[in-house]
Amino acid sequence: MATAIDERQLRRQIDLALGICEERNAREDLELPDEVARYLWALYELAGRYDLSLPSTTLDAHIQLLALRRVWMPLADSETDDVLRYCLSCGAQLQPSCRRQRCTRCRREAAKQAVAS
Ligand SMILES: [Zn+2]
């Protein structure tokens, strides 16, 4: 499981790599640049996805990066709006409009503990 710092790093790398792929795709220069390959390797490692292999084009890389982003940045994709989401702490179902990872009760509890310690 990645730590919070890993996660931030991961998100930044996904965005950077997506930007490079989009630019290449727009120019129809589809050969995978070393830079994106390096990002992808780092992402596989951080995500523990050693089953993935490098795509040969920036089009395929783009698809793979979007899939990785869906795992790591679920709130960035509007298509996940209808998906039921659950509190990470207690498993209670969250309101569809809720953009947080935990329910109100758990967040309140965590805040209380942060103050106490
Ligand atoms: Zn909860």
Side-chain angles (χ1 to χ4, degrees):
M1 205 50 201
T3 66
I5 293 162
D6 285 342
E7 228 169 286
R8 268 200 300 277
Q9 197 184 348
L10 203 58
R11 287 166 192 223
R12 206 165 46 89
Q13 290 187 337
I14 289 172
D15 276 348
L16 285 169
L18 272 172
I20 296 168
C21 286
E22 275 161 18
E23 193 192 305
R24 295 286 178 125
N25 293 347
R27 284 201 313 229
E28 296 190 9
D29 176 12
L30 304 181
E31 199 186 325
L32 195 75
D34 289 346
E35 200 181 357
V36 173
R38 271 199 303 276
Y39 280 131
L40 281 167
W41 280 121
L43 289 170
Y44 299 160
E45 200 169 335
L46 281 168
R49 292 296 306 269
Y50 301 102
D51 54 318
L52 294 172
S53 54
L54 278 183
S56 50
T57 67
T58 47
L59 284 174
D60 291 334
H62 193 257
I63 292 166
Q64 199 176 72
L65 285 163
L66 286 178
L68 283 166
R69 188 169 73 164
R70 218 166 287 133
V71 173
W72 289 96
M73 309 170 69
L75 307 185
D77 282 308
S78 55
E79 67 199 85
T80 59
D81 273 359
D82 297 332
V83 176
L84 291 179
R85 294 173 50 248
Y86 300 92
C87 170
L88 284 180
S89 297
C90 72
Q93 192 178 321
L94 297 171
Q95 296 295 321
S97 59
C98 181
R99 283 288 168 270
R100 301 190 188 258
Q101 311 259 352
R102 290 180 171 78
C103 69
T104 313
R105 198 163 48 87
C106 288
R107 277 186 283 126
R108 222 175 266 155
E109 208 54 48
K112 235 187 281 173
Q113 277 171 15
V115 170
S117 63

